[in-house]
Amino acid sequence: MTCFLLFILCGLSSGALGKGKEPKEQKGKFSVPALDVKDQQLVLEANQTLTLNCRGRWELSWAFPVGVAKDQESVKVVESRCGKRRQQFCSLLTLTPARAQHTGSFRCRYRHRPQRQSPVYVYVTDSRQPFVELQLRSPDVVYIKEREPLVFPCRVTNPNASVSLVKYPDQPLVPDHRNIVWNSRQGFVVRRPSFIFVGLFSCQATVDGVKHTSKYLAIRLVNKITAVYLNASGPVQALQGETLSLNCTVTAELNSRVSIIWSYPAQANDSASITRRIEKRRSHTLFYSVLSIPRLQRSDRGLYTCHVTSGPQSRQANVSVTVYDRPFIRLKPRHGVVLETHAGQKSYRLSPKLRAFPGPEVIWLKDGMAAAERCSRYHVDGSSLVIRDVAEEDAGKYTMLVGIQEHGLYQNLTLSLVVNVSPQIGEKAVSVQDPGTVQRGSRQALHCTSHAVPPPQVQWLWYPCPSKGLLATPRA
Ligand SMILES: *[C@@H]1O[C@H](CO)[C@@H](O)[C@H](O)[C@H]1NC(C)=O
Ligand SMILES: *[C@@H]1O[C@H](CO)[C@@H](O)[C@H](O)[C@H]1NC(C)=O
Ligand SMILES: *[C@@H]1O[C@H](CO)[C@@H](O)[C@H](O)[C@H]1NC(C)=O
Ligand SMILES: *[C@@H]1O[C@H](CO)[C@@H](O)[C@H](O)[C@H]1NC(C)=O
Ligand SMILES: *[C@@H]1O[C@H](CO)[C@@H](O)[C@H](O)[C@H]1NC(C)=O
Ligand SMILES: *[C@@H]1O[C@H](CO)[C@@H](O)[C@H](O)[C@H]1NC(C)=O
Ligand SMILES: *[C@@H]1O[C@H](CO)[C@@H](O)[C@H](O)[C@H]1NC(C)=O
């Protein structure tokens, strides 16, 4: 039994036993590439050489620690076909001389399926450089994000290094293996950073009597967009050749980070220039992004959207832009050129159909004179003329003059207004006339004065008086 097991194990690892077994053995083997190191980690000294052999079923590639990727001259990779029938792929990596900043994870992976990989963590010890990352500017800024652990990235070159975390000025924070955890490959990890982790911190290591520090400024990062708006409330109209400028303003809580991206019709041509500005206020931060397109073309018309994201939060604002080839005025009556209204109506609006760009100047004339000056009951509202408390005298010719002076464009439209007046009988206004007593057989004239627009038709009606002795009977 033992022998049998051993036999299979040996067969698997060397692949050199019994020809007949080979295809079967190959099946589950190399589902990930294999490295020639047994341990999950290696410890080297600075100036030594690292060699790693990798073998697999398909073509291989490597992923390096950042410090190696930045320093390609010290790395050499030799690829070859290997295995008994040269059906396998081998890759030999040499790193020389190894440096402290090369410390990190080396991963051999399949080129077509990089998630199938074998890692080894390599420490390159150097007593003069306990921290892997050399701080170029001190302190580095680290952000405290909602529901994310905070990492002070002071990973080290020696797995045994003893490092302490100190809050400025001299408050040590001892790892408790629950919230504050030391990890030589990451640094100090704070799983649930509370407000006490805002401020200046340092990682300290003393090697051969020399104290080394790495400083970090921890800032709480909030993601809170309070408002996003474009400085164009309605659709934007512009002429071809003009410059379009749109201002996207974002209000966010202090310390928020936002990203502003525009989408617009000519995006593929990259024809817009975008400038940004940040203004810090006492209680909030303002972010501006101004998009401008210098010479508008027809193809620039469409929807312009300002997309704003801050962490998981996102908002947007959009505006549609119309680009006209040339300036124009289109003016026509809405319901014919003769209009009717009634005297006594509360108000009447004269509003022909007008479309024009750029915004025209509109003047209304009544019988050739400026309407507003003619009567205080007339006023211009937008491009319409409104008549308040319509009276008979408002009848006449109204002319709308439309002009775009800078482009020398003018148009006019004349409308006739008819004001209908309900019939009125003048005598009624005085008093009910009693014709008095008249002689029988004499001639009597009865008057009725009436007025209306259009002129009224008059009809007389005769009613007999109630029989009360001898009363005169009027005759028409
Ligand atoms: C590594 O080599 C360089 C020169 O090649 C030398 O200056 C340095 O001291 C060496 N480092 C270690 C840790 O031996
Ligand atoms: C780390 O410490 C262990 C045990 O104390 C020791 O065996 C090992 O050599 C040390 N490694 C280094 C790189 O100093
Ligand atoms: C447009 O953006 C600038 C910043 O470039 C800002 O100062 C200005 O107030 C913004 N204007 C409007 C109308 O939003
Ligand atoms: C929006 O703001 C920009 C920059 O401040 C300005 O040039 C542009 O004229 C404004 N656009 C509108 C439609 O108000
Ligand atoms: C991109 O630019 C070309 C040439 O200037 C123009 O013909 C085309 O319409 C533009 N496309 C868009 C989407 O603006
Ligand atoms: C434009 O914005 C409005 C409201 O701000 C929104 O309802 C609409 O869906 C947006 N349009 C597009 C195409 O994103
Ligand atoms: C109105 O337009 C006509 C031509 O369409 C022009 O002859 C006339 O002078 C214009 N009237 C006014 C008051 O501008």
Side-chain angles (χ1 to χ4, degrees):
M1 203 47 179
T2 325
C3 271
F4 179 66
L5 258 176
L6 269 175
F7 177 77
I8 291 190
L9 283 174
C10 289
L12 276 171
S13 62
S14 72
L17 286 174
K19 276 180 193 167
K21 285 211 161 77
E22 207 172 289
K24 198 177 166 196
E25 287 159 9
Q26 286 287 312
K27 241 190 171 171
K29 210 178 171 188
F30 293 129
S31 61
V32 294
L35 284 171
D36 63 345
V37 286
K38 295 219 166 48
D39 296 322
Q40 300 271 308
Q41 74 177 47
L42 291 176
V43 182
L44 258 67
E45 274 172 38
N47 288 347
Q48 287 185 332
T49 298
L50 169 72
T51 52
L52 291 173
N53 254 304
C54 185
R55 181 187 282 245
R57 259 201 286 182
W58 297 289
E59 280 189 90
L60 304 166
S61 70
W62 294 88
F64 303 123
V66 220
V68 176
K70 279 192 215 152
D71 181 15
Q72 291 282 345
E73 285 124 65
S74 28
V75 202
K76 211 172 81 189
V77 173
V78 177
E79 287 174 351
S80 61
R81 296 302 285 262
C82 50
K84 201 143 164 290
R85 292 209 216 118
R86 315 191 61 72
Q87 78 282 38
Q88 291 172 356
F89 294 81
C90 279
S91 185
L92 172 66
L93 175 138
T94 318
L95 174 72
T96 186
R99 304 250 183 248
Q101 60 268 27
H102 295 158
T103 297
S105 175
F106 289 76
R107 282 162 290 159
C108 176
R109 38 166 75 167
Y110 284 127
R111 194 164 288 174
H112 69 299
R113 269 174 138 179
Q115 69 277 23
R116 295 229 172 153
Q117 57 181 3
S118 292
V120 59
Y121 198 92
V122 179
Y123 291 91
V124 184
T125 64
D126 185 337
S127 56
R128 291 165 310 177
Q129 192 184 332
F131 296 116
V132 179
E133 250 72 67
L134 289 169
Q135 279 195 322
L136 296 176
R137 62 198 150 89
S138 174
D140 278 344
V141 176
V142 291
Y143 295 99
I144 302 174
K145 298 174 190 166
E146 271 175 77
R147 288 187 289 278
E148 273 185 45
L150 167 66
V151 179
F152 294 104
C154 52
R155 61 194 183 100
V156 284
T157 58
N158 186 326
N160 290 356
S162 153
V163 183
S164 50
L165 178 65
V166 178
K167 183 173 182 183
Y168 184 82
D170 52 11
Q171 180 195 351
L173 293 158
V174 185
D176 55 9
H177 307 292
R178 286 173 53 221
N179 193 31
I180 307 175
V181 179
W182 165 250
N183 181 329
S184 64
R185 297 180 186 185
Q186 283 185 282
F188 282 100
V189 179
V190 182
R191 293 198 175 127
R192 283 174 306 278
S194 62
F195 66 92
I196 68 155
F197 289 95
V198 173
L200 190 61
F201 290 81
S202 64
C203 291
Q204 302 184 350
T206 304
V207 185
D208 300 338
V210 182
K211 190 167 131 185
H212 300 262
T213 63
S214 227
K215 293 195 182 108
Y216 301 95
L217 180 64
I219 294 177
R220 182 167 286 278
L221 197 59
V222 286
N223 298 308
K224 192 93 201 266
I225 306 167
T226 41
V228 175
Y229 52 89
L230 287 169
N231 67 332
S233 45
V236 171
Q237 299 175 311
L239 284 176
Q240 202 164 308
E242 282 183 346
T243 298
L244 173 73
S245 274
L246 292 172
N247 204 350
C248 181
T249 307
V250 179
T251 319
E253 270 187 13
L254 279 181
N255 286 328
S256 292
R257 292 227 145 172
V258 308
S259 117
I260 305 177
I261 296 168
W262 288 90
S263 60
Y264 54 97
Q267 206 163 355
N269 281 6
D270 211 10
S271 56
S273 72
I274 293 164
T275 56
R276 297 166 205 283
R277 220 179 72 196
I278 302 177
E279 259 178 48
K280 281 215 182 252
R281 299 284 168 83
R282 261 169 61 89
S283 61
H284 61 277
T285 312
L286 283 170
F287 298 83
Y288 298 107
S289 178
V290 179
L291 168 138
S292 72
I293 295 182
R295 273 173 304 281
L296 280 175
Q297 299 178 18
R298 260 176 160 262
S299 54
D300 288 315
R301 62 177 149 188
L303 197 69
Y304 286 69
T305 309
C306 165
H307 303 271
V308 184
T309 53
S310 180
Q313 211 194 351
S314 76
R315 295 258 208 119
Q316 60 116 313
N318 63 48
V319 68
S320 71
V321 172
T322 309
V323 181
Y324 295 114
D325 298 350
R326 59 184 77 88
F328 67 92
I329 298 175
R330 267 177 245 143
L331 177 64
K332 58 179 183 183
R334 204 176 286 275
H335 310 288
V337 292
V338 179
L339 303 167
E340 277 184 57
T341 183
H342 280 278
Q345 194 165 318
K346 267 254 160 288
S347 80
Y348 187 78
R349 179 180 286 265
L350 290 155
S351 62
K353 280 189 187 168
L354 171 65
R355 295 223 321 127
F357 191 79
E361 205 189 335
V362 174
I363 296 169
W364 280 94
L365 304 179
K366 160 89 194 291
D367 299 326
M369 273 174 65
E373 281 166 30
R374 237 192 131 106
C375 179
S376 63
R377 292 182 292 106
Y378 300 165
H379 80 270
V380 178
D381 175 25
S383 61
S384 315
L385 179 75
V386 180
I387 304 171
R388 207 163 20 86
D389 298 324
V390 180
E392 190 179 353
E393 77 215 44
D394 296 332
K397 288 204 183 311
Y398 289 84
T399 304
M400 185 188 198
L401 304 177
V402 180
I404 305 171
Q405 203 165 2
E406 73 259 42
H407 297 287
L409 285 178
Y410 301 95
Q411 276 209 31
N412 67 49
L413 175 70
T414 300
L415 304 168
S416 297
L417 182 67
V418 175
V419 178
N420 293 329
V421 180
S422 329
Q424 268 164 15
I425 297 171
E427 287 74 7
K428 260 182 93 174
V430 187
S431 68
V432 184
Q433 270 184 326
D434 182 356
T437 314
V438 294
Q439 208 176 357
R440 190 177 194 148
S442 71
R443 208 180 175 79
Q444 283 298 319
L446 294 175
H447 292 275
C448 172
T449 321
S450 83
H451 174 73
V453 178
Q457 288 183 324
V458 180
Q459 208 184 347
W460 285 92
L461 296 172
W462 177 80
Y463 296 97
C465 280
S467 55
K468 214 181 175 193
L470 291 167
L471 270 179
T473 46
R475 222 188 258 175

